[in-house]
Amino acid sequence: MMLHKHDVLIIGAGLAGLRVAIELAETYDTAILSKVHPLRSHSVAAQGGINASLGEDDSWEQHAFDTVKGSDYLADQDVVEILAKEAPRAVIENERWGTAFSRTDDGRIAQRPFGGAGYPRTCYAADRTGHNLLHTTFEQALRVGVKFYNEWFATSLVRDGNHVCGLTALEIASGDVYGFVGKAVVIATGGFGRVYSHSTNAVINTGDGCALALRVGAPLKDMEFVQFHPTTLFGSSILISEAARGEGGYLINARGERFMSKYAPKNMELAPRDIVARAIRTEIDEGRGSEDQYVHLDLRHLGKEKILERLPGIREISIDFAGVDPIHEPVPITPAQHYSMGGVHCDKHGMTPISGLYAVGEAACMSVHGANRLGGNSLLETLVFGRIVGQQIAENLRNAAEPSSERVDDEAFRIRQKLQELLLKERGESPSEIREVLGETMDRLVGIFRKESDLKAALSMIHHLKERFPNVSVGHVDRRFNYSLIRVLELENMLDLAEVITMGALKRRESRGAHWRLDYPERDDQKFLKHSLFTRIEDYVKTELIDVNLGMFEVKERTY
Ligand SMILES: Cc1cc2nc3c(=O)[nH]c(=O)nc-3n(C[C@H](O)[C@H](O)[C@H](O)COP(=O)(O)OP(=O)(O)OC[C@H]3O[C@@H](n4cnc5c(N)ncnc54)[C@H](O)[C@@H]3O)c2cc1C
């Protein structure tokens, strides 16, 4: 039997997975599997910062209010309360571990204004916050003795009745498939932005964990809520952090107008992302974009010194990828996919309806961001809830049943056969072509502005691609380091997720947060102040609506 055994198996070595592991590794045998080296997880790319109400006039209540309003009232308010209350602790903890936060003149952690926030509460390390946080957190995981399986690709979860008893994974270096037996399995696989072809996400962000959860019968939640970031570099879709607007950047259309005054007169460029992204797309669609394709982000008035000190990374990106130096020229930008508000349905302790299966970080939907995430809240979510989920697992492990090795071994056998068949198919459909059509379809038909006819067309295209998928040919038969095979497995996952995103968008006949329906432009609290839930039953996906946990903040109209 090719089996590994640990108490806890965590899929994903981004901030969320690492933080769970740190909480557990000193007491339990804890392993992390990651398809790339941990320091290449997408958390490393986070630029702008992490929110915490550290300021004297700020409070967790204000942070919670901004988050709930930003979510268009879809976030669960009990979960938001935890996020906001625990934020200062999470930031200070990382600071003590060694994260080099930028400082004020009197030595405190510096904070910048961010979209939708009533107070400058975003802590940052220049514009490389994720890089700093991930390195410190990884060091701590090494210190407490977490076992790492780096460059291992999780291929399925294994279920025994209503328990999860392990998973299967492919060792990329050898091409061998192993079973992993564990009492708890944590999905910390990050977002699924690459379902779209224009995305700020790393190429590895294909939502594998969410697809594995769906396949094993765990529900996904709120998948139709996809965040489009207002400012990505025109051409490459590389992120230009909200920090650029937080530091005072302007958005300018082809006529030289600061057009946000029409859309969010009070908050201007610092309205939440859903509103700014729609404003930019509207300017471009109505003919006020440059070359009908982009608008400009103007930083010149900030001055050279501030740009060099606070925004060195985005200056480099602008020079390297657009040949534009923001000190001297405005930067051409356009919105693109950025964040997945939806994910694996779980409670505030990360528990899914299947016992032993947990979710955390961007892969999870607790739901702390509702219909629209505020910038700076998702790095925070990974650290705050990573710790809480770790504590919950420790508690649950005390009376966890012995997991079934046989089940895991049988599943590993099945996956070996499946991969073998895939590799042996010499001729067939091209996976890269299917992937391209998928991304283009999602961009064009399931984007910022949606309508029924587009969504129906997208769904039928996705079904057509899913019919083609079983005939794909990997193209390379080698077992070792076969990245073509990995791309095919990711494609299978993305097709399943695209279907669910589109189904959710079609069924939600209202406009809320990042989900905008041209044919239903109003928010409809009567029918849709609800989370959507997607459960796969054999080949069919059941959808239902469940209640939102309301609480201290009354549901109101959202203006900025
Ligand atoms: C460019 C960019 C900038 C951002 N800036 C900010 C910001 O300033 N502030 C903020 O709050 N948020 C920001 N975000 C969002 C934030 O960075 C992410 O939501 C967060 O870091 C996600 O962390 P995570 O641990 O959930 O997942 P990730 O960091 O994405 O890690 C996922 C892990 O899962 C592993 N994995 C995935 N699939 C498999 C598989 N099949 N088998 C094995 N392992 C697998 C990967 O190897 C990886 O280790 C930004 C996002 C992007 C893309």
Side-chain angles (χ1 to χ4, degrees), residues 12-16 34-36 41-43 45-49 152 154 188-190 201 208 239 338-339 361-362 373 376 378-379 382:
L15 281 172
S34 176
K35 65 177 171 179
V36 293
S41 303
H42 189 59
S43 294
Q47 300 175 355
W152 283 68
T189 47
N201 284 196
D208 305 333
L239 182 71
H338 180 59
Y339 184 82
E362 193 170 338
R373 171 180 77 98
S378 87
L379 288 177
T382 63

PDB file of all heavy atoms in Angstrom, residues 12-16 34-36 41-43 45-49 152 154 188-190 201 208 239 338-339 361-362 373 376 378-379 382, ligand 1:
ATOM      1  N   GLY A  12      -2.794  23.025   0.830  1.00  0.00           N
ATOM      2  CA  GLY A  12      -2.558  24.454   0.607  1.00  0.00           C
ATOM      3  C   GLY A  12      -1.589  25.035   1.619  1.00  0.00           C
ATOM      4  O   GLY A  12      -1.777  24.898   2.825  1.00  0.00           O
ATOM      5  N   ALA A  13      -0.537  25.676   1.115  1.00  0.00           N
ATOM      6  CA  ALA A  13       0.507  26.269   1.968  1.00  0.00           C
ATOM      7  C   ALA A  13       0.536  27.783   1.833  1.00  0.00           C
ATOM      8  O   ALA A  13       1.571  28.409   1.996  1.00  0.00           O
ATOM      9  CB  ALA A  13       1.864  25.667   1.625  1.00  0.00           C
ATOM     10  N   GLY A  14      -0.617  28.383   1.515  1.00  0.00           N
ATOM     11  CA  GLY A  14      -0.712  29.843   1.579  1.00  0.00           C
ATOM     12  C   GLY A  14      -0.871  30.252   3.034  1.00  0.00           C
ATOM     13  O   GLY A  14      -0.713  29.428   3.946  1.00  0.00           O
ATOM     14  N   LEU A  15      -1.197  31.510   3.266  1.00  0.00           N
ATOM     15  CA  LEU A  15      -1.305  31.989   4.642  1.00  0.00           C
ATOM     16  C   LEU A  15      -2.324  31.189   5.445  1.00  0.00           C
ATOM     17  O   LEU A  15      -2.095  30.887   6.617  1.00  0.00           O
ATOM     18  CB  LEU A  15      -1.706  33.471   4.644  1.00  0.00           C
ATOM     19  CG  LEU A  15      -0.565  34.447   4.372  1.00  0.00           C
ATOM     20  CD1 LEU A  15      -1.123  35.856   4.193  1.00  0.00           C
ATOM     21  CD2 LEU A  15       0.453  34.416   5.514  1.00  0.00           C
ATOM     22  N   ALA A  16      -3.454  30.835   4.816  1.00  0.00           N
ATOM     23  CA  ALA A  16      -4.507  30.148   5.558  1.00  0.00           C
ATOM     24  C   ALA A  16      -4.045  28.764   6.013  1.00  0.00           C
ATOM     25  O   ALA A  16      -4.144  28.418   7.191  1.00  0.00           O
ATOM     26  CB  ALA A  16      -5.768  30.042   4.695  1.00  0.00           C
ATOM     27  N   SER A  34       1.241  20.904  -0.944  1.00  0.00           N
ATOM     28  CA  SER A  34       1.110  22.100  -1.779  1.00  0.00           C
ATOM     29  C   SER A  34       1.608  21.792  -3.188  1.00  0.00           C
ATOM     30  O   SER A  34       2.644  21.153  -3.360  1.00  0.00           O
ATOM     31  CB  SER A  34       1.937  23.241  -1.181  1.00  0.00           C
ATOM     32  OG  SER A  34       1.889  24.356  -2.034  1.00  0.00           O
ATOM     33  N   LYS A  35       0.867  22.273  -4.174  1.00  0.00           N
ATOM     34  CA  LYS A  35       1.275  21.933  -5.544  1.00  0.00           C
ATOM     35  C   LYS A  35       2.481  22.737  -6.001  1.00  0.00           C
ATOM     36  O   LYS A  35       3.082  22.427  -7.016  1.00  0.00           O
ATOM     37  CB  LYS A  35       0.099  22.045  -6.518  1.00  0.00           C
ATOM     38  CG  LYS A  35      -0.492  23.409  -6.751  1.00  0.00           C
ATOM     39  CD  LYS A  35      -1.599  23.276  -7.815  1.00  0.00           C
ATOM     40  CE  LYS A  35      -2.400  24.542  -7.970  1.00  0.00           C
ATOM     41  NZ  LYS A  35      -3.444  24.427  -8.987  1.00  0.00           N
ATOM     42  N   VAL A  36       2.789  23.806  -5.257  1.00  0.00           N
ATOM     43  CA  VAL A  36       4.033  24.549  -5.520  1.00  0.00           C
ATOM     44  C   VAL A  36       4.767  24.725  -4.187  1.00  0.00           C
ATOM     45  O   VAL A  36       4.197  24.467  -3.125  1.00  0.00           O
ATOM     46  CB  VAL A  36       3.765  25.944  -6.125  1.00  0.00           C
ATOM     47  CG1 VAL A  36       3.168  25.822  -7.521  1.00  0.00           C
ATOM     48  CG2 VAL A  36       2.862  26.778  -5.215  1.00  0.00           C
ATOM     49  N   SER A  41       2.919  30.331  -3.143  1.00  0.00           N
ATOM     50  CA  SER A  41       1.453  30.419  -3.018  1.00  0.00           C
ATOM     51  C   SER A  41       1.030  31.840  -3.355  1.00  0.00           C
ATOM     52  O   SER A  41       1.784  32.787  -3.154  1.00  0.00           O
ATOM     53  CB  SER A  41       1.035  30.095  -1.579  1.00  0.00           C
ATOM     54  OG  SER A  41       1.501  28.821  -1.215  1.00  0.00           O
ATOM     55  N   HIS A  42      -0.216  31.995  -3.789  1.00  0.00           N
ATOM     56  CA  HIS A  42      -0.633  33.326  -4.253  1.00  0.00           C
ATOM     57  C   HIS A  42      -0.597  34.393  -3.155  1.00  0.00           C
ATOM     58  O   HIS A  42      -0.459  35.580  -3.448  1.00  0.00           O
ATOM     59  CB  HIS A  42      -2.005  33.280  -4.919  1.00  0.00           C
ATOM     60  CG  HIS A  42      -2.360  34.569  -5.577  1.00  0.00           C
ATOM     61  ND1 HIS A  42      -1.583  35.124  -6.573  1.00  0.00           N
ATOM     62  CD2 HIS A  42      -3.351  35.463  -5.359  1.00  0.00           C
ATOM     63  CE1 HIS A  42      -2.110  36.287  -6.944  1.00  0.00           C
ATOM     64  NE2 HIS A  42      -3.184  36.506  -6.218  1.00  0.00           N
ATOM     65  N   SER A  43      -0.684  33.979  -1.892  1.00  0.00           N
ATOM     66  CA  SER A  43      -0.577  34.961  -0.798  1.00  0.00           C
ATOM     67  C   SER A  43       0.655  35.839  -0.963  1.00  0.00           C
ATOM     68  O   SER A  43       0.663  37.001  -0.543  1.00  0.00           O
ATOM     69  CB  SER A  43      -0.473  34.248   0.553  1.00  0.00           C
ATOM     70  OG  SER A  43      -1.655  33.565   0.860  1.00  0.00           O
ATOM     71  N   ALA A  45       1.745  37.297  -3.409  1.00  0.00           N
ATOM     72  CA  ALA A  45       1.562  38.393  -4.365  1.00  0.00           C
ATOM     73  C   ALA A  45       0.742  39.543  -3.799  1.00  0.00           C
ATOM     74  O   ALA A  45       0.607  40.583  -4.443  1.00  0.00           O
ATOM     75  CB  ALA A  45       0.889  37.865  -5.634  1.00  0.00           C
ATOM     76  N   ALA A  46       0.169  39.365  -2.613  1.00  0.00           N
ATOM     77  CA  ALA A  46      -0.686  40.424  -2.059  1.00  0.00           C
ATOM     78  C   ALA A  46       0.142  41.692  -1.876  1.00  0.00           C
ATOM     79  O   ALA A  46       1.258  41.650  -1.379  1.00  0.00           O
ATOM     80  CB  ALA A  46      -1.303  39.976  -0.746  1.00  0.00           C
ATOM     81  N   GLN A  47      -0.436  42.786  -2.277  1.00  0.00           N
ATOM     82  CA  GLN A  47       0.328  44.032  -2.315  1.00  0.00           C
ATOM     83  C   GLN A  47      -0.092  44.993  -1.204  1.00  0.00           C
ATOM     84  O   GLN A  47       0.683  45.385  -0.344  1.00  0.00           O
ATOM     85  CB  GLN A  47       0.128  44.706  -3.682  1.00  0.00           C
ATOM     86  CG  GLN A  47       0.578  43.866  -4.855  1.00  0.00           C
ATOM     87  CD  GLN A  47       0.251  44.515  -6.209  1.00  0.00           C
ATOM     88  OE1 GLN A  47      -0.390  45.549  -6.295  1.00  0.00           O
ATOM     89  NE2 GLN A  47       0.712  43.894  -7.287  1.00  0.00           N
ATOM     90  N   GLY A  48      -1.379  45.383  -1.227  1.00  0.00           N
ATOM     91  CA  GLY A  48      -1.844  46.573  -0.510  1.00  0.00           C
ATOM     92  C   GLY A  48      -1.817  46.537   0.989  1.00  0.00           C
ATOM     93  O   GLY A  48      -1.440  47.523   1.622  1.00  0.00           O
ATOM     94  N   GLY A  49      -2.245  45.424   1.609  1.00  0.00           N
ATOM     95  CA  GLY A  49      -2.201  45.411   3.055  1.00  0.00           C
ATOM     96  C   GLY A  49      -3.268  44.583   3.729  1.00  0.00           C
ATOM     97  O   GLY A  49      -4.021  43.852   3.085  1.00  0.00           O
ATOM     98  N   TRP A 152       3.225  18.475  -4.516  1.00  0.00           N
ATOM     99  CA  TRP A 152       2.282  17.366  -4.536  1.00  0.00           C
ATOM    100  C   TRP A 152       0.935  17.958  -4.921  1.00  0.00           C
ATOM    101  O   TRP A 152       0.533  18.986  -4.375  1.00  0.00           O
ATOM    102  CB  TRP A 152       2.164  16.709  -3.157  1.00  0.00           C
ATOM    103  CG  TRP A 152       3.311  15.816  -2.810  1.00  0.00           C
ATOM    104  CD1 TRP A 152       4.600  16.191  -2.575  1.00  0.00           C
ATOM    105  CD2 TRP A 152       3.261  14.401  -2.646  1.00  0.00           C
ATOM    106  NE1 TRP A 152       5.366  15.089  -2.268  1.00  0.00           N
ATOM    107  CE2 TRP A 152       4.568  13.983  -2.303  1.00  0.00           C
ATOM    108  CE3 TRP A 152       2.249  13.449  -2.746  1.00  0.00           C
ATOM    109  CZ2 TRP A 152       4.879  12.644  -2.072  1.00  0.00           C
ATOM    110  CZ3 TRP A 152       2.556  12.119  -2.502  1.00  0.00           C
ATOM    111  CH2 TRP A 152       3.866  11.716  -2.175  1.00  0.00           C
ATOM    112  N   ALA A 154      -3.058  17.500  -4.974  1.00  0.00           N
ATOM    113  CA  ALA A 154      -4.191  16.734  -4.428  1.00  0.00           C
ATOM    114  C   ALA A 154      -5.167  16.407  -5.547  1.00  0.00           C
ATOM    115  O   ALA A 154      -5.559  17.292  -6.316  1.00  0.00           O
ATOM    116  CB  ALA A 154      -4.885  17.518  -3.323  1.00  0.00           C
ATOM    117  N   ALA A 188      -7.440  24.491   1.908  1.00  0.00           N
ATOM    118  CA  ALA A 188      -6.892  25.852   2.000  1.00  0.00           C
ATOM    119  C   ALA A 188      -6.224  26.165   0.666  1.00  0.00           C
ATOM    120  O   ALA A 188      -5.088  26.639   0.604  1.00  0.00           O
ATOM    121  CB  ALA A 188      -5.900  25.949   3.156  1.00  0.00           C
ATOM    122  N   THR A 189      -6.956  25.885  -0.414  1.00  0.00           N
ATOM    123  CA  THR A 189      -6.362  25.911  -1.750  1.00  0.00           C
ATOM    124  C   THR A 189      -6.521  27.251  -2.468  1.00  0.00           C
ATOM    125  O   THR A 189      -6.191  27.355  -3.649  1.00  0.00           O
ATOM    126  CB  THR A 189      -6.978  24.800  -2.620  1.00  0.00           C
ATOM    127  OG1 THR A 189      -8.399  24.854  -2.470  1.00  0.00           O
ATOM    128  CG2 THR A 189      -6.486  23.439  -2.207  1.00  0.00           C
ATOM    129  N   GLY A 190      -7.033  28.272  -1.788  1.00  0.00           N
ATOM    130  CA  GLY A 190      -7.094  29.600  -2.401  1.00  0.00           C
ATOM    131  C   GLY A 190      -8.227  29.742  -3.409  1.00  0.00           C
ATOM    132  O   GLY A 190      -9.141  28.911  -3.472  1.00  0.00           O
ATOM    133  N   ASN A 201      -4.865  36.742 -10.716  1.00  0.00           N
ATOM    134  CA  ASN A 201      -4.413  35.582  -9.945  1.00  0.00           C
ATOM    135  C   ASN A 201      -3.235  34.869 -10.601  1.00  0.00           C
ATOM    136  O   ASN A 201      -3.048  34.936 -11.809  1.00  0.00           O
ATOM    137  CB  ASN A 201      -5.549  34.571  -9.800  1.00  0.00           C
ATOM    138  CG  ASN A 201      -6.606  34.980  -8.775  1.00  0.00           C
ATOM    139  OD1 ASN A 201      -7.390  34.159  -8.350  1.00  0.00           O
ATOM    140  ND2 ASN A 201      -6.639  36.244  -8.383  1.00  0.00           N
ATOM    141  N   ASP A 208      -8.766  24.091  -7.205  1.00  0.00           N
ATOM    142  CA  ASP A 208      -8.817  22.620  -7.102  1.00  0.00           C
ATOM    143  C   ASP A 208      -9.589  22.139  -5.879  1.00  0.00           C
ATOM    144  O   ASP A 208     -10.418  21.235  -5.976  1.00  0.00           O
ATOM    145  CB  ASP A 208      -7.394  22.033  -7.039  1.00  0.00           C
ATOM    146  CG  ASP A 208      -6.534  22.462  -8.211  1.00  0.00           C
ATOM    147  OD1 ASP A 208      -7.103  22.751  -9.283  1.00  0.00           O
ATOM    148  OD2 ASP A 208      -5.295  22.524  -8.054  1.00  0.00           O
ATOM    149  N   LEU A 239      -2.014  43.018 -11.246  1.00  0.00           N
ATOM    150  CA  LEU A 239      -2.664  43.916 -10.295  1.00  0.00           C
ATOM    151  C   LEU A 239      -1.874  45.209 -10.071  1.00  0.00           C
ATOM    152  O   LEU A 239      -0.663  45.192  -9.891  1.00  0.00           O
ATOM    153  CB  LEU A 239      -2.817  43.207  -8.947  1.00  0.00           C
ATOM    154  CG  LEU A 239      -3.530  44.050  -7.889  1.00  0.00           C
ATOM    155  CD1 LEU A 239      -4.998  44.203  -8.212  1.00  0.00           C
ATOM    156  CD2 LEU A 239      -3.353  43.460  -6.511  1.00  0.00           C
ATOM    157  N   HIS A 338     -10.419  39.131  -9.858  1.00  0.00           N
ATOM    158  CA  HIS A 338      -9.414  39.268  -8.795  1.00  0.00           C
ATOM    159  C   HIS A 338      -9.609  38.321  -7.614  1.00  0.00           C
ATOM    160  O   HIS A 338      -8.655  37.789  -7.076  1.00  0.00           O
ATOM    161  CB  HIS A 338      -9.427  40.710  -8.292  1.00  0.00           C
ATOM    162  CG  HIS A 338      -8.441  40.986  -7.207  1.00  0.00           C
ATOM    163  ND1 HIS A 338      -7.087  40.791  -7.377  1.00  0.00           N
ATOM    164  CD2 HIS A 338      -8.592  41.444  -5.937  1.00  0.00           C
ATOM    165  CE1 HIS A 338      -6.451  41.135  -6.251  1.00  0.00           C
ATOM    166  NE2 HIS A 338      -7.341  41.512  -5.368  1.00  0.00           N
ATOM    167  N   TYR A 339     -10.855  38.106  -7.203  1.00  0.00           N
ATOM    168  CA  TYR A 339     -11.051  37.387  -5.936  1.00  0.00           C
ATOM    169  C   TYR A 339     -12.328  36.563  -5.987  1.00  0.00           C
ATOM    170  O   TYR A 339     -13.303  36.952  -6.634  1.00  0.00           O
ATOM    171  CB  TYR A 339     -11.144  38.401  -4.781  1.00  0.00           C
ATOM    172  CG  TYR A 339     -11.239  37.757  -3.419  1.00  0.00           C
ATOM    173  CD1 TYR A 339     -10.091  37.316  -2.765  1.00  0.00           C
ATOM    174  CD2 TYR A 339     -12.463  37.561  -2.794  1.00  0.00           C
ATOM    175  CE1 TYR A 339     -10.169  36.702  -1.523  1.00  0.00           C
ATOM    176  CE2 TYR A 339     -12.562  36.948  -1.545  1.00  0.00           C
ATOM    177  CZ  TYR A 339     -11.400  36.536  -0.918  1.00  0.00           C
ATOM    178  OH  TYR A 339     -11.472  35.928   0.311  1.00  0.00           O
ATOM    179  N   GLY A 361      -9.654  30.309   4.428  1.00  0.00           N
ATOM    180  CA  GLY A 361      -8.996  31.191   3.462  1.00  0.00           C
ATOM    181  C   GLY A 361      -9.891  31.459   2.266  1.00  0.00           C
ATOM    182  O   GLY A 361     -11.119  31.335   2.345  1.00  0.00           O
ATOM    183  N   GLU A 362      -9.264  31.808   1.149  1.00  0.00           N
ATOM    184  CA  GLU A 362     -10.063  32.188  -0.021  1.00  0.00           C
ATOM    185  C   GLU A 362     -10.883  31.018  -0.563  1.00  0.00           C
ATOM    186  O   GLU A 362     -11.916  31.220  -1.193  1.00  0.00           O
ATOM    187  CB  GLU A 362      -9.149  32.772  -1.115  1.00  0.00           C
ATOM    188  CG  GLU A 362      -9.954  33.459  -2.210  1.00  0.00           C
ATOM    189  CD  GLU A 362      -9.097  34.248  -3.186  1.00  0.00           C
ATOM    190  OE1 GLU A 362      -7.965  34.637  -2.837  1.00  0.00           O
ATOM    191  OE2 GLU A 362      -9.575  34.476  -4.312  1.00  0.00           O
ATOM    192  N   ARG A 373     -16.000  41.784  -1.332  1.00  0.00           N
ATOM    193  CA  ARG A 373     -14.960  41.866  -0.306  1.00  0.00           C
ATOM    194  C   ARG A 373     -14.329  43.252  -0.302  1.00  0.00           C
ATOM    195  O   ARG A 373     -14.084  43.825  -1.362  1.00  0.00           O
ATOM    196  CB  ARG A 373     -13.875  40.838  -0.607  1.00  0.00           C
ATOM    197  CG  ARG A 373     -12.650  40.985   0.253  1.00  0.00           C
ATOM    198  CD  ARG A 373     -11.608  39.945  -0.097  1.00  0.00           C
ATOM    199  NE  ARG A 373     -10.876  40.247  -1.306  1.00  0.00           N
ATOM    200  CZ  ARG A 373      -9.677  40.825  -1.332  1.00  0.00           C
ATOM    201  NH1 ARG A 373      -9.085  41.198  -0.219  1.00  0.00           N
ATOM    202  NH2 ARG A 373      -9.060  41.038  -2.481  1.00  0.00           N
ATOM    203  N   GLY A 376      -7.942  44.313   1.749  1.00  0.00           N
ATOM    204  CA  GLY A 376      -7.284  44.230   3.049  1.00  0.00           C
ATOM    205  C   GLY A 376      -7.966  43.273   4.016  1.00  0.00           C
ATOM    206  O   GLY A 376      -7.418  42.946   5.063  1.00  0.00           O
ATOM    207  N   SER A 378      -8.915  40.114   3.188  1.00  0.00           N
ATOM    208  CA  SER A 378      -8.777  38.680   2.938  1.00  0.00           C
ATOM    209  C   SER A 378      -7.461  38.121   3.453  1.00  0.00           C
ATOM    210  O   SER A 378      -7.424  36.983   3.933  1.00  0.00           O
ATOM    211  CB  SER A 378      -9.032  38.351   1.477  1.00  0.00           C
ATOM    212  OG  SER A 378      -7.878  38.473   0.758  1.00  0.00           O
ATOM    213  N   LEU A 379      -6.397  38.923   3.429  1.00  0.00           N
ATOM    214  CA  LEU A 379      -5.199  38.485   4.159  1.00  0.00           C
ATOM    215  C   LEU A 379      -5.592  38.291   5.617  1.00  0.00           C
ATOM    216  O   LEU A 379      -5.210  37.318   6.272  1.00  0.00           O
ATOM    217  CB  LEU A 379      -4.096  39.552   4.062  1.00  0.00           C
ATOM    218  CG  LEU A 379      -3.420  39.705   2.701  1.00  0.00           C
ATOM    219  CD1 LEU A 379      -2.411  40.857   2.744  1.00  0.00           C
ATOM    220  CD2 LEU A 379      -2.707  38.418   2.285  1.00  0.00           C
ATOM    221  N   THR A 382      -7.419  35.024   6.332  1.00  0.00           N
ATOM    222  CA  THR A 382      -6.580  33.807   6.374  1.00  0.00           C
ATOM    223  C   THR A 382      -5.962  33.626   7.757  1.00  0.00           C
ATOM    224  O   THR A 382      -5.944  32.518   8.286  1.00  0.00           O
ATOM    225  CB  THR A 382      -5.426  33.860   5.343  1.00  0.00           C
ATOM    226  OG1 THR A 382      -4.550  34.947   5.666  1.00  0.00           O
ATOM    227  CG2 THR A 382      -5.935  34.018   3.922  1.00  0.00           C
TER     228      THR A 382
HETATM  229  C1  LIG B   1      -2.263  39.966  -6.894  1.00  0.00           C
HETATM  230  C2  LIG B   1      -3.056  39.857  -5.631  1.00  0.00           C
HETATM  231  C3  LIG B   1      -2.938  40.837  -4.656  1.00  0.00           C
HETATM  232  C4  LIG B   1      -3.677  40.752  -3.488  1.00  0.00           C
HETATM  233  N1  LIG B   1      -3.548  41.734  -2.529  1.00  0.00           N
HETATM  234  C5  LIG B   1      -4.230  41.631  -1.364  1.00  0.00           C
HETATM  235  C6  LIG B   1      -4.068  42.595  -0.334  1.00  0.00           C
HETATM  236  O1  LIG B   1      -3.285  43.526  -0.439  1.00  0.00           O
HETATM  237  N2  LIG B   1      -4.794  42.449   0.809  1.00  0.00           N
HETATM  238  C7  LIG B   1      -5.657  41.410   1.003  1.00  0.00           C
HETATM  239  O2  LIG B   1      -6.272  41.323   2.057  1.00  0.00           O
HETATM  240  N3  LIG B   1      -5.813  40.464   0.042  1.00  0.00           N
HETATM  241  C8  LIG B   1      -5.114  40.555  -1.127  1.00  0.00           C
HETATM  242  N4  LIG B   1      -5.283  39.593  -2.091  1.00  0.00           N
HETATM  243  C9  LIG B   1      -6.066  38.386  -1.776  1.00  0.00           C
HETATM  244  C10 LIG B   1      -5.266  37.477  -0.844  1.00  0.00           C
HETATM  245  O3  LIG B   1      -3.905  37.547  -1.166  1.00  0.00           O
HETATM  246  C11 LIG B   1      -5.714  36.028  -0.950  1.00  0.00           C
HETATM  247  O4  LIG B   1      -7.108  35.934  -0.811  1.00  0.00           O
HETATM  248  C12 LIG B   1      -5.088  35.163   0.152  1.00  0.00           C
HETATM  249  O5  LIG B   1      -3.694  35.378   0.209  1.00  0.00           O
HETATM  250  C13 LIG B   1      -5.392  33.703  -0.086  1.00  0.00           C
HETATM  251  O6  LIG B   1      -4.666  32.923   0.803  1.00  0.00           O
HETATM  252  P1  LIG B   1      -4.944  31.353   0.897  1.00  0.00           P
HETATM  253  O7  LIG B   1      -4.020  30.833   1.928  1.00  0.00           O
HETATM  254  O8  LIG B   1      -6.399  31.129   1.080  1.00  0.00           O
HETATM  255  O9  LIG B   1      -4.569  30.785  -0.548  1.00  0.00           O
HETATM  256  P2  LIG B   1      -3.237  30.906  -1.448  1.00  0.00           P
HETATM  257  O10 LIG B   1      -2.233  31.810  -0.893  1.00  0.00           O
HETATM  258  O11 LIG B   1      -3.720  31.151  -2.827  1.00  0.00           O
HETATM  259  O12 LIG B   1      -2.627  29.441  -1.349  1.00  0.00           O
HETATM  260  C14 LIG B   1      -3.245  28.319  -1.948  1.00  0.00           C
HETATM  261  C15 LIG B   1      -2.392  27.100  -1.692  1.00  0.00           C
HETATM  262  O13 LIG B   1      -3.088  25.944  -2.143  1.00  0.00           O
HETATM  263  C16 LIG B   1      -2.197  25.087  -2.816  1.00  0.00           C
HETATM  264  N5  LIG B   1      -2.975  24.245  -3.734  1.00  0.00           N
HETATM  265  C17 LIG B   1      -3.960  24.623  -4.576  1.00  0.00           C
HETATM  266  N6  LIG B   1      -4.422  23.563  -5.265  1.00  0.00           N
HETATM  267  C18 LIG B   1      -3.743  22.487  -4.822  1.00  0.00           C
HETATM  268  C19 LIG B   1      -3.756  21.101  -5.131  1.00  0.00           C
HETATM  269  N7  LIG B   1      -4.581  20.579  -6.053  1.00  0.00           N
HETATM  270  N8  LIG B   1      -2.900  20.280  -4.472  1.00  0.00           N
HETATM  271  C20 LIG B   1      -2.025  20.775  -3.557  1.00  0.00           C
HETATM  272  N9  LIG B   1      -1.976  22.084  -3.230  1.00  0.00           N
HETATM  273  C21 LIG B   1      -2.821  22.921  -3.843  1.00  0.00           C
HETATM  274  C22 LIG B   1      -1.207  26.011  -3.494  1.00  0.00           C
HETATM  275  O14 LIG B   1      -0.007  25.343  -3.780  1.00  0.00           O
HETATM  276  C23 LIG B   1      -1.041  27.090  -2.418  1.00  0.00           C
HETATM  277  O15 LIG B   1      -0.051  26.700  -1.494  1.00  0.00           O
HETATM  278  C24 LIG B   1      -4.557  39.670  -3.276  1.00  0.00           C
HETATM  279  C25 LIG B   1      -4.670  38.686  -4.250  1.00  0.00           C
HETATM  280  C26 LIG B   1      -3.952  38.797  -5.435  1.00  0.00           C
HETATM  281  C27 LIG B   1      -4.161  37.744  -6.483  1.00  0.00           C
END
